Every structure is written in structure tokens, then in C-alpha cells.
Amino acid sequence: MLDRFRLPRRMPRSEPELPASARTVAIIMDGNGRWARKRGLPVLAGHRAGTAALRRTVEAAPGLGIRSLCVYAFSTENWSRSDDEVRDLMDLFRHTIRTEFPQLHRQGVRIRFQGRRDRVSDELLGLMTGIEEQTAGNERLDLYVAFDYGGRAEIVDACRRLVADGVRVEEIDSAALQARLARPELPDPDLVIRTSGERRLSNFLLWQAAYAELVFTPTLWPDFDGEALRAALQEYAGRRRRFGGRAGDR
Ligand code: IPE
Ligand code: IPE
Ligand code: MG
């Protein structure tokens, strides 16, 4: 029985027995600082362990029926942390793109970033666009990494584009705005997971999560893995989504 839950290193095949599975999942990867503090370690150790958790989670996702995964890595508000922590996070991000993402590339993961690009170093920007181009033909899993991302900023930018594109007032609708989001191709998440016990969105996917199911788990992000993802999907499978209609109509 236990063997069934052990995740192989290689991405497994989809499991046909999984019930109504979430195809698009978004994760607020929270709790790195608390994970480190509990162990008497520097915060950076928590962020590093968080990178390993991301790798485990991405590797487990396709086998659990997930097609698109969007992870919140750094918010527009996270710049307000200490200079040291921000620098460490930028260094770690560079290191992750260089050393971890090529391995995801070999496993067929397409990587795209979502968020502002004008506040990162040229070096980091080059790495980001490089891995996006390198993985553009991959089809196993779409991974969106929300970095210097904020839902409000994204909606404000979309409004600016509506004006810049000369869209007439009567032509403005959900589709017109959606088309001008940072990543219009990202499907609306079926499920948003937040780790670490906090129960809020913290400016993540405000537009896209309109009808997402929310699952909050006390697990700190560095402890998250394929099994925790499976548990969240199982909770999702027990939910009934109504999209404003009457129960049973769908
Ligand atoms: C999430 O972990 C990672 C980022 C926000 C970059 P935190 O660093 O927010 O961890 P906690 O919430 O302090 O435990
Ligand atoms: C949200 O976590 C951002 C990321 C996980 C990247 P925060 O730790 O920044 O959010 P708050 O401050 O608890 O709302
Ligand atoms: Mg936090």
C-alpha cells in the first residue's frame, strides 16, 4: 500500500483512477521562514529547502493529472523584506534557473514567468528568457512561475493595455481584459493551494482565481511533496463546483 504512494524520480504516467482531477493548479508556496526558524537555521536555508519542494512538486504533478501549474515565488510586496533577504532570494532564483530548471526541461516541462521584468538584474532577466525559449517546445507540463507578481498590478497593466490599444468602451469585456493579462494563456486555476496555514490570497491570481477551489494546508512549503499534492487534489475532488448555478445542474 505504501509503495503506491512512493513517488518515482521519473515523472509517472497519469493515474486514470483519479476522480475529477484538477487540470490547472496554483500554489502559494508559503512557510519557508517558519520552517527555518523552527530548526534554528537562517531564513535562506528555508528558501533553499523550498526550492527542493518545488522540484518534487513539479515532478509529481503530471502523474496526478495536472496539466498547468502556477507557483507564487516572489510577490510585488516581497521587495519590502530586508535587503539581505531580497538579495539572497535573487541569488537563489538565479541558481535555481541555472541548476534546477534544466532538469525540468529534460523532463518535458515548459517554463514561463509571470510578473514584472523591469526590476530584476540583466543577468537574471537573461536566464529567465533563456529558459523560456529553451523549454518552449515542451508539452508534458506547463509551469508558470509568478515572480515579482501581483494580481492588482497585473489587472492595472491590463487596463493600461486596453487604453493603449484604443479599445472602445463598449468593446471592453472579460475576454478583452483577459487577453491583456500577463499570461492570457494560463487557464483559470481549478484549485489554489496555500501552505503554512495562512488563509489568504496575498495578491495572487486575483482575476484568474474567481471560481477556484481553495485548499489550505498547515504543511510548511519546504515539507510539501507529491503526497501533499495528492492530498490537496483529493480534497478538491470532494468539492462541488457550482459556478453560480444550482447544485446538481453540472
Ligand atoms: C514564502 O515563504 C517565500 C516567499 C515569500 C519568497 P516566507 O518567507 O513567506 O515564509 P514565512 O511566511 O515567513 O514562514
Ligand atoms: C505570499 O507569501 C507570497 C509568496 C508565497 C511568494 P507572503 O508570506 O509574502 O504573504 P503574507 O505577507 O503572509 O500575506
Ligand atoms: Mg510568508
Side-chain angles (χ1 to χ4, degrees):
M1 194 61 192
L2 263 181
D3 269 343
R4 209 175 149 264
F5 290 97
R6 195 166 296 144
L7 289 157
R9 292 296 303 155
R10 290 266 141 209
M11 287 192 171
R13 297 238 316 275
S14 290
E15 296 177 30
E17 76 269 20
L18 267 179
S21 133
R23 302 279 292 161
T24 304
V25 174
I27 308 182
I28 303 174
M29 309 185 289
D30 197 14
N32 296 352
R34 276 162 282 171
W35 185 92
R37 207 172 321 119
K38 257 175 48 181
R39 288 165 176 73
L41 296 169
V43 175
L44 176 58
H47 291 315
R48 280 208 186 106
T51 302
L54 175 61
R55 165 107 175 260
R56 292 194 294 271
T57 305
V58 171
E59 290 184 346
L64 295 167
I66 296 171
R67 184 69 191 76
S68 304
L69 182 67
C70 179
V71 295
Y72 204 6
F74 191 85
S75 75
T76 47
E77 289 72 47
N78 286 146
W79 292 104
S80 67
R81 297 192 178 189
S82 74
D83 290 349
D84 280 356
E85 183 172 357
V86 169
R87 195 200 51 235
D88 283 347
L89 281 167
M90 295 300 147
D91 287 348
L92 182 62
F93 197 51
R94 274 206 313 270
H95 185 259
T96 303
I97 298 177
R98 266 209 206 97
T99 63
E100 298 268 333
F101 285 5
Q103 305 188 38
L104 297 180
H105 172 39
R106 284 193 283 281
Q107 296 178 59
V109 178
R110 179 173 184 183
I111 300 170
R112 272 167 278 194
F113 298 95
Q114 182 174 8
R116 288 181 60 165
R117 294 190 181 216
D118 57 333
R119 301 196 279 192
V120 294
S121 68
D122 288 346
E123 190 195 356
L124 184 48
L125 190 61
L127 288 168
M128 288 163 72
T129 48
I131 198 79
E132 282 180 335
E133 283 163 14
Q134 236 182 311
T135 63
N138 291 347
E139 293 182 345
R140 186 100 212 265
L141 177 78
D142 286 322
L143 175 66
Y144 297 85
V145 180
F147 187 83
D148 199 1
Y149 174 85
R152 285 188 172 179
E154 181 180 40
I155 294 168
V156 168
D157 281 350
C159 293
R160 287 189 176 150
R161 279 186 209 124
L162 285 169
V163 175
D165 292 348
V167 180
R168 295 206 314 272
V169 169
E170 58 276 19
E171 289 169 349
I172 296 177
D173 57 11
S174 287
L177 197 141
Q178 163 84 30
R180 289 164 177 84
L181 294 174
R183 287 291 177 192
E185 68 274 34
L186 169 69
D188 284 352
D190 301 302
L191 168 65
V192 175
I193 301 167
R194 183 167 187 152
T195 59
S196 88
E198 308 294 351
R199 292 166 179 247
R200 54 179 172 268
L201 288 176
S202 299
N203 206 9
F204 188 43
L205 301 182
L206 297 184
W207 175 273
Q208 298 88 336
Y211 272 101
E213 293 295 327
L214 309 178
V215 167
F216 301 103
T217 165
T219 303
L220 300 173
W221 175 248
D223 293 326
F224 201 84
D225 58 10
E227 219 170 299
L229 181 59
R230 178 195 294 274
L233 288 167
Q234 246 148 26
E235 190 172 336
Y236 168 86
R239 303 273 181 90
R240 305 196 61 148
R241 302 181 78 188
R242 288 191 287 275
F243 299 96
R246 292 262 169 241
D249 286 355
R250 275 174 181 269

